[in-house]
Amino acid sequence: LPCCKRHKTWTVINPKRFYKASSRDSRAIPLFHLRRIDRKTSSAKQQEIMVGDAIAVPTHLPPRSKNVYRRERWGSRAAFYFAAIGAAVGFGNIWRFPSLVYSYGGGAFFIPYLLALIFIGLPVLILEVALGQYYESGNVEVFGGIHRRLRGVGLGSIACGFMGVTYYSMLIAWVIHAFFDSFGKDSFWTNEDLTGDEASTYFFEEIAGTATVGDDLKPTRVVWANVGYSLIVWAVIFLCVSFGVKVTGQITYFTVGAPILLLFVILIRSLTLEGASAGVSQYLSTDWSVFRDQPDIWVKATGQIFFSLSIAFGAMTAYASHCPRDEPAVRNSVVIAMSNSLFSFVSGFAVFATLGYLATIEGKDIADLNVGGFGLVFGSFPVALSTLPGAQHWIRFFFLMLFLLGIDSAFSFMEASLVSFNDSKQFTNINPKKLALVVATAGWLFSWIYATDAGLYLSDVMDYYINFVMFLVGAFECFSAGWVYNIEEQVDNLGSPIVFSFMATYFGSFFVACIVWLASDPS
C-alpha cells in the first residue's frame, strides 16, 4: 500500500464505512490501529486491520480537513434535491429550450439534446457531485486536491459562474420590472388587442431600455430603474445564501415548488386555448433537414445541457460538498438531470400550446410568428394571457414564476463562489455573512453594464461566449479527474515517457482533427 507522504494518513474504504488511520511506514508495519469515527455521536473506536483487508488510498484533504466532520450539512436529502434542481432549472428551461426547439426543427432537436444529456451532461454532473461529496470542498479545493497545479480549473469554473450571474441577475431584474409594470392603471400587459410583435418590442425597448441604442449598439445611458431592480435581486440572493445551507434548503422548497405548481396551472390553461393542438403538433413534429442545413444544432444542444444542468459553474460541486460522503452520487445526479429535462419538456408543451393560440388569434402559421430568444416568452405568454378573464392576475403569476425560476439558479452560482472562499486559508477567519455581502455587492456593481440601454446585446454576447468557456472548463474537469488524478503513482509505476506520450497520442488526435476542420475550405 502506498504511503501518503503529505499528510501521513490513510483513508481505508469499507463498502459502508470510512476509517482514518496513521502510520509512519506501511511497509514495515503489517498491522494498523485504526480509529473509526461515528458521525452521529463523534465517538471513536479502535479497530485492528491487516494490510489487504481493506482498500487504502492516499487522500489529499483540503486545508480545512480537520473540520471536515463539522461541515454544515443539508437538513435532509430532499433539501439537497430541491436546491440542486433549483440550480439546474431556470430561464433556460422555459425560455431557451423551447426557443431552440422552435428554431431547430421541432422534435428533431430532441435527438442531439438527449445524446448530449446521456453522454456528456450526466457524466460530468456525476463527476462534480461525486468530487464535491468526496473532498467536501468547493471546486478550487477539489481540483487542488487532485493536483496542486489544477486549482485554476476550479477557479475557472467559479469565474464562469460569477460572470454568468452578473448578467443572469439582470434578466431577473427585467422580470421584476415587468412585474411591477403590470400594476399600473393603464398597464400595457392588460391590453386585449396586444400582439406578439408589440409585446416583444415593448419588453425590449421599455423594460430592457434598448429604445435609445444606435446602430453601432454602443451604450448611451444607464436605465436607473433596472439598476434599482437589480439591487433588489442581489439583496434577495444575499439573504438566501448568508444564513447557511440549511436555510437555503428550506428556501428552495418554495422557490422550486411554487414554479412547478404555477407551470402546471399555466400548462393546463394553455392546453384549453383555441389552437393549442396545432402548437403541440408543431412541438412534436420533426424536420430532419435541420441536421443538414443547421449543423450547429449539436453545439446548441450541448450548450443547453451545460447551461441548464449548471455544470462547469461550480454550483453542483458546492452543493454536493455539504452532503455526507456516503450519499449515492450517481442516483442523486440522475434525479437532478431527469427532473431538469422533465421540466424543460413540460415547459415546451406550455410554450407551444400558447404559440398555437397566438397564431390562431393573429391568423398566422406558427412558423411565421416573429418570436425567438427571450422574446419567445414575453412575446407569447403575456399576449395569450391578456385575453383571459382576470388577465392581469394571470400575467402577474407568470412573472412571479419567472422570478422564482431565476432566483434559485442565481444564488446557486453565488454559493459556488462563497464555498470556495470559505474553504480557503485566506478567508478562514472572515465572517461568512460579511463575505457574502462583499461578493453580492461586487456582483451588483458588475451587473451595471447590463443596466445600460445596450445591456440586452451585451448579455447576448456574454451568453454566447460563456457557453464555449463552459465546454473548455468541462473538458479540463474530465481531464483532471480521469488523467491527472494520482499521476505521480502512474509515473512511478510506468515511467514518465509512457504516461505522457500516451496522453499526447490520445489527445493529439483531437487537436489535429480540429486544426484540419478549421483549415478546410467549406466549399
Side-chain angles (χ1 to χ4, degrees), residues 3 32 67 102 118 127 129 167 194 229-230 257 261-262 264 294-295 302 335 378 391 397 435 439 461 478 518:
C3 179
F32 291 95
N67 298 326
Y102 181 83
I118 295 171
L127 173 67
V129 171
Y167 77 84
L194 187 65
Y229 291 125
S230 177
L261 295 177
L262 291 174
F264 276 99
Q294 296 175 281
T302 307
V335 169
F378 284 91
F397 270 127
L435 185 61
V439 175
V461 172
C478 296
L518 291 172

Side-chain angles (χ1 to χ4, degrees), residues 3-11 20-24 57-66 135 141 144-146 151 425:
C3 179
C4 177
K5 297 180 180 179
R6 181 180 176 185
H7 296 288
K8 296 189 185 328
T9 62
W10 294 91
T11 299
K20 189 175 181 181
S22 297
S23 172
R24 294 182 178 179
V57 295
T59 305
H60 299 279
L61 295 175
R64 299 180 68 186
S65 59
K66 293 182 180 180
Y135 284 96
E141 294 300 324
I146 292 176
R151 293 179 184 272
K425 290 181 178 179

Side-chain angles (χ1 to χ4, degrees), residues 431-501:
N431 188 305
K433 292 183 181 179
K434 293 181 180 179
L435 185 61
L437 179 61
V438 171
V439 175
T441 303
W444 176 59
L445 293 175
F446 276 111
S447 69
W448 277 40
I449 62 174
Y450 306 106
T452 62
D453 52 356
L456 179 66
Y457 306 107
L458 293 173
S459 65
D460 281 341
V461 172
M462 180 64 72
D463 181 72
Y464 177 81
Y465 284 104
I466 206 169
N467 279 331
F468 293 99
V469 177
M470 285 192 302
F471 294 161
L472 184 63
V473 171
F476 278 131
E477 287 183 355
C478 296
F479 175 76
S480 301
W483 293 81
V484 181
Y485 181 80
N486 211 16
I487 194 171
E488 291 88 352
E489 185 177 351
Q490 297 180 41
V491 172
D492 290 341
N493 294 337
L494 302 175
S496 56
I498 294 178
V499 173
F500 293 111
S501 62

